[in-house]
Every structure is written in C-alpha cells, then in structure tokens.
Amino acid sequence: MIPIYVNDIRRSLENKCYFSALSLTLTLPDICGIAEFPNKSVGERYTEWYDKYLGIYMADGKDNLGVDNPWLSGEVVYNLRNTFLHQGNPGIVSDKVKEEVNQLDKFILVLGDGTVLQTYTINIEAGTQKTGKITYRVITVDITYLCDSICDCALWYYENNKEKFKFNFNVITQEEFMHPSEEALQFAQGDVFANILNQKLEREGNTKRIVEDPDRRPLARMREDLDVIFSDEAMKQRFMDGKSTFTFTHPTKP
C-alpha cells in the first residue's frame, strides 16, 4: 500500500492539491512506525521512526553564532500531524513540543515546488534576568519538500522491510464490484459469507455450521442481481443514485 499512497500523494502535488497530499503524507510515519515499533504508543512510534530514518538528516545544527537552529524533528512533524489531521489546522502548537530548540514562535508552510527549506533563530540581547536574551525561532518549509522527503523515506523503508507490514483490507474498483471477472469468480469459489459466519459460530462455541452450495457462489449471485438491475434503465439509475434498496429472493438448500 505504501507505493499506492505515495503515487496518490505525488499526483496530488502535481495538481497543486497541496493539503490533500499533506494529509496522506502525514500518515506514512504512522504506517511505518507501527511496523517498526508495534508495541509502542502512537506518539512514540511515530516520532522514533521519523527521527531514526529521516530526522537525523533534517537537523540543522548551530548557526554561525553557535546557536542551535530548530529543525524538522519527529516531534515537530508529529505535532503538525495532530493539529492538521485532528483540527484542520496546518500549524504547530509550540507548547506541546518538549525539545526547547524546536519550541517554535512561527511555523510557515510554503505552497510551492519543493525548493524552500529555511530554519533560523533570532537572538535579541534584551538583558533579561534569566538568560540575558530573547530567542525567536522560525521554520519555513515548502510543503512539496516535506511531502517528498517523507515519501522517499517511507518507500525506502517499505521496500527493505516488507515482512514487517501487515495490511488487511478489502478494496476493489466500482467496475470490479459491478462486473466481477471470471478470475475473481474462480478465486471466490468458496462461500466467503459462510466462512465468516462459521468462524463466528465457532468462537461462540456453537456446533452448528453453514454448508456452502457450490452452485450458488456469492459473487456469481451478486453478478446475477446486478445484471437484473442494469437491464432496466430506471432501476439502474436508482441504484447508481443510492436512493433505493433492492431485495432479491434466491432458492436455498438446507
């Protein structure tokens, strides 16, 4: 799935759908993090995976005055992930960042082609009692640069650690759903619904079992139903609009 997600992200960037790309990009360290650290909390595995495989290359070090510059650490990106995906706010809540060097005063996203990344610190000698100075920290990052960096890293990690990933999903195209291929029908020779129900019966300690009818495979039955619906234009339109429920009665065997 990682290559599919990365392909969608890059197509979004090409079409300047920046926030669609960002939202999916920020889930990649989640996906890779649970593969690398399955027993850690969400925040721990996100930040640790990011810092281990990408963050070490993001650190900016000290400026020419010896002051530590802020950088795109796992903590900063995880903070962005939380505020953007949970609140719709593509920014940083600095109070929730523990590392002092990354407690930002301003976080700026540039909607561009990936050429801008700037981090800088402004120190003002103000004679304060505690430190003698006031620090102003800023990160300016191009959204395409951020997305590309995370995508490249996630792809590399996936290609080299495929055995750690466990995807369990059911996704098909609308065309496949409405017109299952012969290959799909052959693949689904077993009654998948009967198998699911039998597993539930077994977990509940029930000794009864549903026996499949090899002549009435579920996908073949579904295709027959859809053929009936699509044979009538009015019925087809209601089905496509999702405005009607169709009930079919099939002969059954005990």
Side-chain angles (χ1 to χ4, degrees):
M1 289 302 293
I2 295 290
I4 295 174
Y5 294 153
V6 168
N7 182 58
D8 278 5
I9 290 166
R10 288 182 169 153
R11 287 176 63 185
S12 294
L13 290 172
E14 289 169 5
N15 289 283
K16 302 187 185 302
C17 300
Y18 295 115
F19 292 110
S20 296
L22 181 63
S23 61
L24 188 52
T25 296
L26 292 174
T27 67
L28 294 178
D30 276 308
I31 301 168
C32 296
I34 196 171
E36 180 79 355
F37 306 110
N39 298 317
K40 293 194 174 185
S41 68
V42 174
E44 287 178 329
R45 63 193 183 218
Y46 192 105
T47 56
E48 289 186 30
W49 179 87
Y50 180 96
D51 284 339
K52 180 178 179 180
Y53 292 99
L54 183 58
I56 56 172
Y57 305 107
M58 295 286 192
D60 198 36
K62 297 180 183 293
D63 64 13
N64 57 1
L65 297 177
V67 178
D68 287 321
N69 275 327
W71 55 289
L72 283 173
S73 67
E75 193 179 14
V76 169
V77 175
Y78 182 65
N79 191 306
L80 173 62
R81 171 254 200 204
N82 290 342
T83 56
F84 182 48
L85 297 185
H86 296 170
Q87 302 171 22
N89 175 23
I92 299 296
V93 180
S94 187
D95 292 344
K96 294 186 177 181
V97 176
K98 296 178 182 178
E99 193 173 15
E100 184 178 2
V101 69
N102 286 324
Q103 292 172 354
L104 305 176
D105 295 284
K106 189 177 287 282
F107 178 82
I108 303 170
L109 275 176
V110 178
L111 305 183
D113 60 5
T115 58
V116 179
L117 172 64
Q118 297 176 344
T119 64
Y120 56 89
T121 304
I122 299 174
N123 286 297
I124 302 172
E125 297 296 334
T128 60
Q129 185 175 2
K130 185 177 181 181
T131 63
K133 62 184 178 181
I134 296 174
T135 302
Y136 186 82
R137 301 183 180 92
V138 180
I139 286 182
T140 302
V141 59
D142 186 285
I143 199 168
T144 301
Y145 172 87
L146 177 61
C147 291
D148 278 342
S149 298
I150 295 176
C151 283
D152 287 343
C153 186
L155 269 178
W156 177 90
Y157 179 80
Y158 174 73
E159 292 298 331
N160 289 277
N161 297 277
K162 289 182 180 179
E163 74 284 354
K164 296 181 180 180
F165 289 82
K166 298 176 183 178
F167 295 109
N168 182 16
F169 58 89
N170 297 283
V171 178
I172 60 175
T173 65
Q174 184 185 55
E175 180 63 25
E176 290 171 329
F177 177 76
M178 293 183 174
H179 303 288
S181 65
E182 288 300 323
E183 183 180 356
L185 292 172
Q186 284 298 116
F187 179 76
Q189 285 186 2
D191 190 331
V192 291
F193 303 116
N195 291 337
I196 293 170
L197 293 171
N198 283 335
Q199 289 174 11
K200 290 195 171 187
L201 287 169
E202 184 175 2
R203 285 198 299 268
E204 293 173 2
N206 194 318
T207 58
K208 294 180 180 179
R209 294 293 181 270
I210 295 171
V211 180
E212 67 183 52
D213 180 354
D215 297 325
R216 302 295 295 172
R217 291 173 296 172
L219 284 180
R221 183 182 303 166
M222 185 183 298
R223 185 165 68 173
E224 291 171 11
D225 294 345
L226 289 171
D227 286 343
V228 172
I229 292 172
F230 277 68
S231 65
D232 180 273
E233 283 300 320
M235 201 184 305
K236 174 183 175 181
Q237 191 58 50
R238 292 202 309 274
F239 180 81
M240 296 299 291
D241 292 342
K243 295 179 180 178
S244 299
T245 299
F246 300 87
T247 302
F248 293 90
T249 302
H250 295 280
T252 59
K253 292 183 180 181

